[in-house]
Amino acid sequence: MSFENKHKAKQYWDENIKLVLSLLSIWAFVSFGCGILFVDILNEISFMGFKLGFWFAQQGSIYVFLLLILIYVKKSNTLDQKYGVDE
C-alpha cells in the first residue's frame, strides 16, 4: 500500500478505524444486547417459530456478523479506491 503522503495515509486509517469501530459496535449490540440484555423483551416476539431473543442468541448474531463482514468488504474497497490504494 503506497500513499501519496502521510496526511493521506492518516486520513485513510482514520476512516478505516471509524468504519471498523462502527461495525463492531453494531455487532456488540446485536450479540450482547439482543442475545443477553434484552432477551426477555425479545422473547415475547416469535420469529420463525422461535422466541426472538433465543434466535438472536443462537443464530441471529452470527448472521449479523456475516452481513457486517460483507458490508466491511464493500466499504473497504470503496475506501481503497477513494485513496488510490486499490489493487
Side-chain angles (χ1 to χ4, degrees), residues 5-53:
N5 56 44
K6 289 185 180 183
H7 180 68
K8 289 266 189 194
K10 181 170 176 14
Q11 286 179 326
Y12 172 83
W13 285 110
D14 286 346
E15 284 190 50
N16 196 4
I17 295 299
K18 182 180 174 184
L19 173 63
V20 169
L21 291 177
S22 63
L23 294 175
L24 281 175
S25 64
I26 292 169
W27 180 62
F29 173 77
V30 170
S31 62
F32 187 72
C34 295
I36 297 172
L37 295 177
F38 306 118
V39 70
D40 294 329
I41 297 167
L42 292 173
N43 277 341
E44 295 176 9
I45 302 168
S46 180
F47 179 73
M48 295 185 348
F50 298 100
K51 294 179 179 181
L52 188 58

